[in-house]
Amino acid sequence: MKNTRQGLEKFIYTGVIIFIIIDLYIKMFAQQFDYLYYKLNKASYDVVAAQVMEKREKTIIMGKTEPLLTYTEILISYKINGLDYVNRISKYPEVKQFDTIYVAVKNGNKEVRRCVPYVISERDKKLLFYYFFIIFMIFVVFRVMNWLVILRENIVKTYDKSEREQIDIEKYVDEKKNEIRRLRIQLHIGNEEKNIVVKEYEDLLKCKIHEDFIWCLKYFIKPDKRLLTFPFSGLTEEGFDFIGKTLEQRQQGLPDEYYVIAVKNNYCLCGKVRDGQIYSFSRGLGITHTNYLDIYDFVFDELSMCSKSSNVR
């Protein structure tokens, strides 16, 4: 597609330039070349006066309604040694009908050439300007079109890349969901579901608890001490007082809709009432996002790190 477009551009650009060169040659340069030829072979020609009997435009290429390419032809009459001659020539486009001009007639075969320099008229100068302007505009249009095509290709590539990334993200989320299902089955094996009063915890926290975290409480809470004990390293064996730590962090600026689920070196990991996602909280940065989709994602990550640490040992 790209090669076809570039080939078409070159074809149009070359065609326009060839047309302009031919038209300029017919209207201006041919006259000057004819005069230069006469100057180089001046001894072979006689200069005589001639009268323009007729002037007309001849069509070379016809357009749909108007001629595209034309040249000027004149009919002249002149005398040599008392004999009358008539000839048609195309090297005097600037003359008018019935004008008297001078022409160079070759000795012997009566070949007629221009014998005076051709002076570029104001009309010719305007024509030159228009043609250069046309060439420049065609160049600009093609460059802009090429730039737009490249821009479109880049947009399509970006869209395709974004689409592939979205597919990868959806695939990653599906894989995570499957891992979380397996994890939920794995974690509650050997752990009886405990009877807990969710409202009691919510009253102490003064906020709702997300249903995913309620699942963790049912299997990994010591109801009598309100200590959360996950079956992996990184949290104390005695358990984690998530209510006490939440109330403590609220004194440090933790918003009411968050509750602490784990404590790291300089920050806390928190659940949120509405979406169940895992956020980070510190006094310096406040609430920030993490890579965890939900509590299961966090638990799975902790188990993975625990497994790696065991393998290293």
Side-chain angles (χ1 to χ4, degrees):
M1 184 67 179
K2 183 178 179 181
N3 292 335
T4 302
R5 187 186 72 252
Q6 290 178 344
L8 181 62
E9 288 179 6
K10 290 179 180 179
F11 176 79
I12 295 174
Y13 203 62
T14 303
V16 170
I17 290 176
I18 291 174
F19 175 86
I20 290 174
I21 290 174
I22 293 173
D23 196 38
L24 291 177
Y25 176 80
I26 292 172
K27 289 181 169 58
M28 284 178 273
F29 303 136
Q31 290 73 258
Q32 196 64 21
F33 290 150
D34 202 58
Y35 169 71
L36 291 175
Y37 185 88
Y38 158 73
K39 289 285 288 185
L40 293 173
N41 302 277
K42 194 172 183 180
S44 303
Y45 289 86
D46 294 323
V47 177
V48 298
Q51 187 175 23
V52 180
M53 306 298 295
E54 180 184 296
K55 180 181 180 180
R56 60 181 177 177
E57 294 290 322
K58 302 282 286 186
T59 301
I60 300 175
I61 299 177
M62 184 64 189
K64 191 173 183 180
T65 57
E66 296 290 335
L68 293 177
L69 194 61
T70 63
Y71 70 95
T72 302
E73 183 182 80
I74 60 174
L75 177 67
I76 60 172
S77 65
Y78 54 90
K79 287 186 178 183
I80 298 178
N81 299 325
L83 297 177
D84 293 327
Y85 293 90
V86 177
N87 210 332
R88 290 186 181 275
I89 59 175
S90 59
K91 303 304 187 292
Y92 286 83
E94 75 275 20
V95 301
K96 299 177 182 178
Q97 190 172 358
F98 307 125
D99 281 353
T100 299
I101 61 174
Y102 287 93
V103 298
V105 182
K106 192 172 184 179
N107 301 330
N109 63 5
K110 310 308 178 188
E111 177 187 281
V112 178
R113 290 193 177 275
R114 186 183 183 96
C115 65
V116 293
Y118 178 72
V119 179
I120 297 178
S121 64
E122 288 299 319
R123 179 177 175 277
D124 293 335
K125 291 178 182 178
K126 288 182 180 179
L127 184 64
L128 278 172
F129 172 79
Y130 290 146
Y131 277 157
F132 283 127
F133 179 75
I134 289 171
I135 292 174
F136 173 74
M137 288 305 299
I138 291 175
F139 175 80
V140 170
V141 168
F142 282 154
R143 294 287 70 79
V144 170
M145 289 175 60
N146 189 56
W147 177 79
L148 290 175
V149 169
I150 293 173
L151 180 62
R152 179 182 176 278
E153 291 175 351
N154 289 336
I155 292 174
V156 170
K157 288 179 182 178
T158 303
Y159 175 79
D160 291 342
K161 183 180 178 182
S162 300
E163 193 174 25
R164 287 195 300 270
E165 289 176 350
Q166 182 63 31
I167 292 173
D168 292 340
I169 291 172
E170 292 175 357
K171 184 178 178 182
Y172 170 79
V173 171
D174 289 339
E175 290 174 352
K176 277 292 182 182
K177 287 181 179 178
N178 291 331
E179 291 171 354
I180 287 168
R181 290 192 193 98
R182 291 194 297 269
L183 177 64
R184 292 183 66 168
I185 295 171
Q186 175 188 342
L187 288 179
H188 85 266
I189 293 175
N191 292 278
E192 295 181 359
E193 183 175 339
K194 302 174 178 65
N195 293 319
I196 63 170
V197 182
V198 176
K199 190 175 184 308
E200 177 186 341
Y201 298 138
E202 291 180 340
D203 289 342
L204 290 168
L205 292 172
K206 296 181 180 178
C207 71
K208 293 289 184 181
I209 299 175
H210 194 271
E211 59 182 357
D212 290 343
F213 192 59
I214 292 175
W215 176 86
C216 292
L217 293 177
K218 287 181 178 179
Y219 287 100
F220 304 110
I221 193 75
K222 294 180 179 179
D224 53 336
K225 297 182 180 180
R226 296 199 300 267
L227 298 179
L228 186 61
T229 305
F230 286 117
F232 49 76
S233 63
L235 300 176
T236 61
E237 293 181 1
E238 292 78 13
F240 174 67
D241 182 6
F242 76 99
I243 294 178
K245 183 56 69 173
T246 298
L247 297 176
E248 176 187 318
Q249 290 300 311
R250 284 182 180 169
Q251 298 295 322
Q252 305 298 326
L254 178 68
D256 290 343
E257 66 266 28
Y258 295 88
Y259 47 85
V260 177
I261 64 170
V263 177
K264 299 295 183 178
N265 293 333
N266 298 312
Y267 62 93
C268 298
L269 291 175
C270 307
K272 191 177 181 182
V273 174
R274 288 190 297 273
D275 56 23
Q277 292 186 14
I278 306 303
Y279 297 86
S280 172
F281 171 75
S282 64
R283 291 186 62 183
L285 298 176
I287 294 292
T288 54
H289 285 272
T290 67
N291 293 327
Y292 299 121
L293 299 174
D294 49 33
I295 186 67
Y296 306 114
D297 201 16
F298 162 68
V299 172
F300 181 82
D301 189 60
E302 290 289 335
L303 282 174
S304 299
M305 289 192 293
C306 180
S307 175
K308 290 178 182 177
S309 298
S310 300
N311 292 334
V312 171
R313 290 196 294 268

